[in-house]
């Protein structure tokens, strides 16, 4: 009787192992298809957490840092970093999704992110470069910089400085503007 129970246990265990191997194999295939072949697009939350891993900052500053990360990635690689949609708000380019994600912090800084961010080494190096270029600027300085740039100005159109606007910044305008300034990014 004990021998039969052991045999039944081994048979059940083998069945579980076969199912586990199938799950691992499917996960590996999906990982290869999406992540290694760069078909994987990061989320807005992932990119913001990656930038927050360098230090705490205000909602306004994370908006501008993510805007510059998005703009440079779009210009250099010809694809979106994440599904950001930046609007031409009074204080510069703003992703509504990102704004709502962090608006509960109000005027306080969003704390530094200490969790695990699932990005590859290339993306981590790119984020480090963005932080090196823009991390030392205050939120107000980044706002002033974005106000001098064509993509924000074009999206604002005839709006007065204090008028609200939800017009999206055009990716073609972003690429055209940042392509002219590639030396700034490459030399840093």
């Amino acid at each position: 009787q004990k021998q039969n129970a052991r045999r039944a246990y081994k048979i059940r265990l083998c069945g579980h192992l076969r199912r586990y191997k199938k799950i691992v194999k499917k996960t590996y295939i999906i990982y290869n298809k999406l992540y290694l072949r760069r078909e994987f697009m990061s989320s807005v939350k992932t990119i913001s957490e990656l930038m927050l891993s360098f230090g705490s900052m205000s909602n306004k500053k994370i908006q501008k840092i993510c805007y510059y990360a998005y703009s440079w990635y779009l210009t250099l690689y010809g694809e979106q970093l994440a599904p950001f949609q930046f609007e031409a708000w009074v204080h510069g380019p703003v992703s509504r999704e990102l704004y709502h994600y962090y608006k509960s912090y109000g005027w306080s800084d969003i704390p530094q992110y200490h969790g695990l961010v699932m990005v590859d080494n290339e993306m981590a190096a790119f984020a480090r470069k963005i932080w090196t270029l823009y991390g030392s600027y205050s939120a107000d300085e980044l706002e002033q910089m974005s106000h001098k740039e064509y993509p924000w100005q074009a999206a604002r159109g005839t709006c007065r400085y204090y008028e609200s606007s939800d017009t999206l910044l055009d990716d073609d305008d972003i690429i055209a503007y940042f392509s002219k300034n590639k030396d700034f990014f490459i030399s840093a």
Side-chain angles (χ1 to χ4, degrees):
Q1 215 173 18
K2 283 185 180 181
Q3 211 172 13
N4 287 339
R6 280 189 204 138
R7 189 176 296 145
Y9 175 76
K10 286 181 181 178
I11 290 170
R12 274 196 313 268
L13 187 60
C14 287
H16 290 306
L17 286 174
R18 278 193 296 273
R19 281 192 294 278
Y20 176 76
K21 285 180 181 178
K22 284 181 183 178
I23 290 169
V24 168
K25 186 177 179 182
K26 284 181 182 179
T27 304
Y28 180 76
I29 290 169
I30 290 169
Y31 174 82
N32 275 337
K33 280 184 180 177
L34 298 178
Y35 197 74
L36 294 179
R37 294 186 186 160
R38 305 295 271 163
E39 294 172 18
F40 172 76
M41 183 189 287
S42 298
S43 70
V44 170
K45 181 181 176 194
T46 300
I47 298 304
S48 66
E49 288 173 348
L50 180 59
M51 293 307 175
L52 283 166
S53 70
F54 297 111
S56 64
M57 63 189 88
S58 66
N59 196 336
K60 187 181 355 182
K61 185 168 180 175
I62 190 69
Q63 290 287 341
K64 305 310 169 267
I65 295 286
C66 286
Y67 164 70
Y68 283 116
Y70 174 84
S71 298
W72 281 115
Y73 197 88
L74 182 64
T75 302
L76 297 171
Y77 299 105
E79 58 187 35
Q80 292 184 339
L81 174 65
F84 284 108
Q85 291 187 319
F86 286 98
E87 299 174 8
W89 286 19
V90 170
H91 294 287
V94 173
S95 163
R96 192 176 293 271
E97 180 181 354
L98 189 60
Y99 173 78
H100 286 296
Y101 190 71
Y102 292 114
K103 75 177 180 181
S104 63
Y105 290 95
W107 294 102
S108 302
D109 275 0
I110 303 161
Q112 183 173 3
Y113 184 74
H114 294 287
L116 179 66
V117 181
M118 295 295 292
V119 295
D120 61 10
N121 291 337
E122 190 177 317
M123 181 65 72
F126 177 79
R128 243 179 257 109
K129 181 116 180 187
I130 294 294
W131 185 254
T132 302
L133 290 169
Y134 297 103
S136 62
Y137 293 104
S138 71
D140 292 332
E141 290 170 324
L142 292 169
E143 176 184 345
Q144 292 307 311
M145 288 168 60
S146 69
H147 284 193
K148 294 175 184 172
E149 296 167 354
Y150 179 74
W152 182 80
Q153 292 173 350
R156 291 289 294 172
T158 58
C159 289
R160 293 197 174 126
Y161 180 77
Y162 55 85
E163 289 180 331
S164 64
S165 170
D166 59 0
T167 305
L168 293 175
L169 274 70
D170 185 32
D171 283 352
D172 292 333
D173 289 342
I174 290 171
I175 292 169
Y177 178 80
F178 284 89
S179 292
K180 294 176 187 174
N181 299 300
K182 277 187 183 178
D183 292 338
F184 171 73
F185 187 84
I186 294 167
S187 66

